[in-house]
Amino acid sequence: MTHYRLHCFAQSGNAYKAALMLQLCGADWEPVFVDFFNGATRAPDWRNAVNDMGEAPVLEIGDKRLTQSGVILTYLARRFPDFTPSGEDEELEILRWILFDNHKFTSYFATLRFFRAFMPPDSYAGASAFLEGRVRSAFGVVEKHLAAREWVVGDRMTIADLSLAGYVYYPQDEHGIDIEHTYPAIDRWRKRIAAHPRWAHPYTLMPGHPRPA
Amino acid sequence: MTHYRLHCFAQSGNAYKAALMLQLCGADWEPVFVDFFNGATRAPDWRNAVNDMGEAPVLEIGDKRLTQSGVILTYLARRFPDFTPSGEDEELEILRWILFDNHKFTSYFATLRFFRAFMPPDSYAGASAFLEGRVRSAFGVVEKHLAAREWVVGDRMTIADLSLAGYVYYPQDEHGIDIEHTYPAIDRWRKRIAAHPRWAHPYTLMPGHPRPA
């Protein structure tokens, strides 16, 4: 029995934030496949017994169950010294970026990609221009922040980086944002994270890719 | 000179989260008006010197400056015993709801209300149905959660309540969601918060209401 069990699936960048953290820390963990595309997170069993917010990821640690990627990252950062904040100022600056990520960076980017990669075009036409505008605004804030620095907070990788990086490795044809040429600082930063010797792409780190035809 | 200076404006429910916390705690604070509708948070001075995320609220404490309502609430909760979490489990459960609020509850509701209350109708037609669907989904999660409990976490008011309550006191004609009749548990909960002897409505607690014609 592994110490950490992460309910996740390959196409979820929010799950990837937690999976990558466990992977980079060399934690004793295993993925548990969530059949999202067949409705697993919308089923009453999931909502009533696993996560009332109806989302993945969920991290199981013995009898404890944590949801929300930002909570899982915070919990793990306190237990793996490479990621433990140096004090309250750093902890709050990390939280600041995790909240920005949840509110404006991952949220709009993940939703835009979900529509473009997994839904029929006529189901999201009205939302697409709105979401892309929000994505470009949030990417602009992060691009400017990373232009003169290597990591989001301080001088080493923190969970703020892992939160913001949830969706940036998915192929461009899934979301339509040309990160490499439009956001060069974000592109260098995502490559910096990927240079970690234990790094793995979401499609290899988590189960469920490719999806059955 | 007051101990806490909160950069805020009456129409910002995100600023209200912090203002209400300071108010309920009886903190030594004052509001500093942010002229959002005349572009204050989009100005280079604000982005470069005050908040690189281009948002309100900002809390000043001497030389320290905190941004993101969730960071400000976390910082204050550690300093006002009525709101200090009882341990890590409660702290993480509070964070879980603050993240949900930032990602799906306040975020979509505040954006829908911003469009409906402050923008010309033709500027948001494409986004409106998308946002309202997301609002109703997030409100459904919170309604179900509050149906059998008085407070979002544990058995007393916490910053999870104050985060989720950021926008729920603005008039229905600003956002179009009939909270009283459609979400009765949320309606009872917002009235429970408003029963606090120091509670004040956002339009009286913060400067800038009504807006000049």
Side-chain angles (χ1 to χ4, degrees):
Chain A
M1 184 80 176
T2 54
H3 188 67
Y4 296 109
R5 300 178 81 234
L6 183 71
H7 296 259
C8 62
F9 59 102
Q11 294 79 11
S12 167
N14 282 310
Y16 179 60
K17 299 171 186 181
L20 184 58
M21 176 70 176
L22 291 162
Q23 172 74 4
L24 296 188
C25 291
D28 175 35
W29 75 288
E30 63 179 329
V32 181
F33 179 58
V34 177
D35 197 1
F36 173 85
F37 290 104
N38 284 313
T41 57
R42 294 188 299 280
D45 276 3
W46 181 272
R47 295 212 171 223
N48 292 331
V50 182
N51 185 359
D52 52 354
M53 294 170 184
E55 299 172 323
V58 175
L59 183 66
E60 277 187 77
I61 313 137
D63 292 340
K64 190 189 289 283
R65 216 175 252 153
L66 298 177
T67 85
Q68 289 288 335
S69 63
V71 167
I72 295 170
L73 290 172
T74 299
Y75 178 91
L76 294 172
R78 292 175 179 175
R79 283 151 181 86
F80 289 93
D82 285 356
F83 286 89
T84 306
S86 62
E88 190 185 33
D89 284 352
E90 189 179 271
E91 179 198 358
L92 292 176
E93 180 65 7
I94 289 169
L95 178 59
R96 188 170 86 97
W97 284 101
I98 288 176
L99 287 164
F100 180 79
D101 177 52
N102 276 265
H103 185 184
K104 296 195 168 171
F105 190 89
T106 279
S107 57
Y108 295 123
F109 186 45
T111 307
L112 183 67
R113 173 217 175 222
F114 179 76
F115 284 148
R116 287 182 171 165
F118 305 118
M119 299 288 278
D122 60 359
S123 68
Y124 63 85
S128 186
F130 162 74
L131 288 169
E132 182 158 342
R134 295 276 166 151
V135 166
R136 294 201 177 277
S137 171
F139 270 62
V141 168
V142 176
E143 175 72 12
K144 190 172 172 192
H145 183 69
L146 287 170
R149 50 189 306 139
E150 295 204 339
W151 305 106
V152 172
V153 177
D155 56 6
R156 72 189 202 289
M157 194 193 299
T158 70
I159 56 172
D161 298 288
L162 301 189
S163 187
L164 287 156
Y167 284 82
V168 299
Y169 298 107
Y170 290 111
Q172 183 182 331
D173 64 6
E174 292 187 1
H175 50 69
I177 306 296
D178 181 356
I179 295 176
E180 183 178 357
H181 296 102
T182 318
Y183 303 103
I186 292 176
D187 185 53
R188 289 192 300 273
W189 161 81
R190 68 177 175 171
K191 287 172 178 158
R192 206 171 286 132
I193 296 172
H196 190 290
R198 276 197 287 266
W199 182 87
H201 190 278
Y203 281 155
T204 59
L205 189 58
M206 299 183 292
H209 178 79
R211 293 170 61 201
Chain B
M1 183 81 176
T2 55
H3 188 68
Y4 297 107
R5 300 179 79 234
L6 183 71
H7 297 258
C8 61
F9 59 101
Q11 294 80 12
S12 168
N14 282 310
Y16 179 60
K17 299 172 186 180
L20 184 58
M21 175 71 176
L22 291 161
Q23 172 74 4
L24 296 187
C25 291
D28 176 36
W29 75 288
E30 64 179 329
V32 182
F33 178 58
V34 176
D35 197 1
F36 173 84
F37 290 103
N38 284 312
T41 57
R42 295 187 299 281
D45 275 5
W46 181 272
R47 294 210 172 225
N48 293 330
V50 182
N51 184 359
D52 51 354
M53 294 171 184
E55 299 172 322
V58 175
L59 182 66
E60 278 186 76
I61 313 134
D63 292 339
K64 191 189 288 283
R65 216 175 250 153
L66 298 177
T67 85
Q68 289 288 334
S69 63
V71 167
I72 294 169
L73 290 172
T74 298
Y75 178 92
L76 293 172
R78 292 176 179 173
R79 283 152 181 87
F80 289 93
D82 285 355
F83 286 89
T84 306
S86 62
E88 190 184 32
D89 284 352
E90 189 178 272
E91 179 198 357
L92 292 176
E93 179 66 6
I94 289 169
L95 178 59
R96 188 170 87 98
W97 283 101
I98 289 177
L99 287 164
F100 179 79
D101 177 52
N102 276 264
H103 185 184
K104 296 194 168 171
F105 190 88
T106 279
S107 55
Y108 294 122
F109 186 46
T111 307
L112 183 67
R113 174 221 178 217
F114 179 76
F115 283 147
R116 288 181 172 165
F118 305 119
M119 299 287 278
D122 60 357
S123 69
Y124 63 84
S128 186
F130 162 75
L131 288 169
E132 183 159 341
R134 295 275 166 150
V135 166
R136 295 202 176 274
S137 171
F139 270 62
V141 168
V142 176
E143 175 72 12
K144 189 172 173 193
H145 183 69
L146 287 171
R149 50 189 305 137
E150 296 204 340
W151 306 105
V152 173
V153 177
D155 55 6
R156 72 189 202 289
M157 194 192 300
T158 69
I159 56 171
D161 298 288
L162 301 190
S163 188
L164 286 157
Y167 283 82
V168 299
Y169 299 106
Y170 290 111
Q172 184 180 332
D173 65 5
E174 293 188 0
H175 50 69
I177 307 295
D178 181 356
I179 295 176
E180 184 178 356
H181 297 101
T182 319
Y183 303 103
I186 292 176
D187 185 53
R188 287 193 300 272
W189 161 80
R190 68 177 174 172
K191 286 171 177 158
R192 208 170 284 132
I193 296 172
H196 189 291
R198 277 197 287 266
W199 182 85
H201 190 278
Y203 281 154
T204 59
L205 189 58
M206 300 183 292
H209 178 79
R211 293 171 60 202

